[in-house]
Amino acid sequence: MNTSPAEPRPVIPQVSGAAVTGAVLACGVGYFFSWVRRDSDQACEKTEGLCWTWWDSAAIPLTLAAALITLIIVYKQLDIRPRLAVIPPTILLAPFPLLAAQANAGWWTATIAGGTWSGFVALTAWSRYRILGVTASATLLLASLIVLYR
């Protein structure tokens, strides 16, 4: 059965795919940062004073580049448009919910927060669900800011 252009398409597969991608990225970022910290601690354990390794300075740019490339590829496959309006908020504002979740309950909740954040922001790509997505994203962002700065 063909659906007419007037009938709304279900967005659950796309939003679920975005949420899974966000959760995988959040888990990967948490693991990568813990590895960088371990490597830095090992390299600097015999040094007294300030010690800075290459991984310390490259961790954030590498993380942002990997997340950007991953989201571009996955969102193109999921047909989430407009990607320019969805991907930058996903990447640039995601650290707040991730840090708030990890600070209170560990890396597992940071993974869940990453998936939730990506799903809510991806929901804003469809005009029918835009208000719900913006409201849910803003609520999650506000709650994470309250948790971080209380």
Side-chain angles (χ1 to χ4, degrees), residues 114-126:
T116 305
W117 176 256
S118 293
F120 287 158
V121 174
L123 197 59
T124 64
W126 291 272

Side-chain angles (χ1 to χ4, degrees), residues 21-131:
T21 303
V24 168
L25 283 173
C27 185
V29 165
Y31 179 75
F32 178 66
F33 280 159
S34 69
W35 179 81
V36 167
R37 174 170 274 168
R38 256 191 333 268
D39 184 64
S40 178
D41 289 346
Q42 287 176 353
C44 296
E45 79 182 10
K46 294 180 182 166
T47 305
E48 292 182 22
L50 186 61
C51 179
W52 196 259
T53 65
W54 182 85
W55 284 109
D56 291 331
S57 59
I60 291 177
L62 285 173
T63 301
L64 290 175
L68 180 65
I69 291 168
T70 302
L71 289 177
I72 288 172
I73 291 169
V74 170
Y75 284 14
K76 184 173 178 84
Q77 294 298 317
L78 291 174
D79 198 33
I80 295 176
R81 289 194 176 109
R83 286 184 288 279
L84 188 60
V86 176
I87 292 175
T90 302
I91 292 175
L92 297 176
L93 297 175
F96 296 111
L98 294 178
L99 287 173
Q102 185 165 0
N104 284 324
W107 68 272
W108 182 248
T109 55
T111 301
I112 293 170
T116 305
W117 176 256
S118 293
F120 287 158
V121 174
L123 197 59
T124 64
W126 291 272
S127 61
R128 181 179 191 148
Y129 304 106
R130 190 162 291 140
I131 293 174

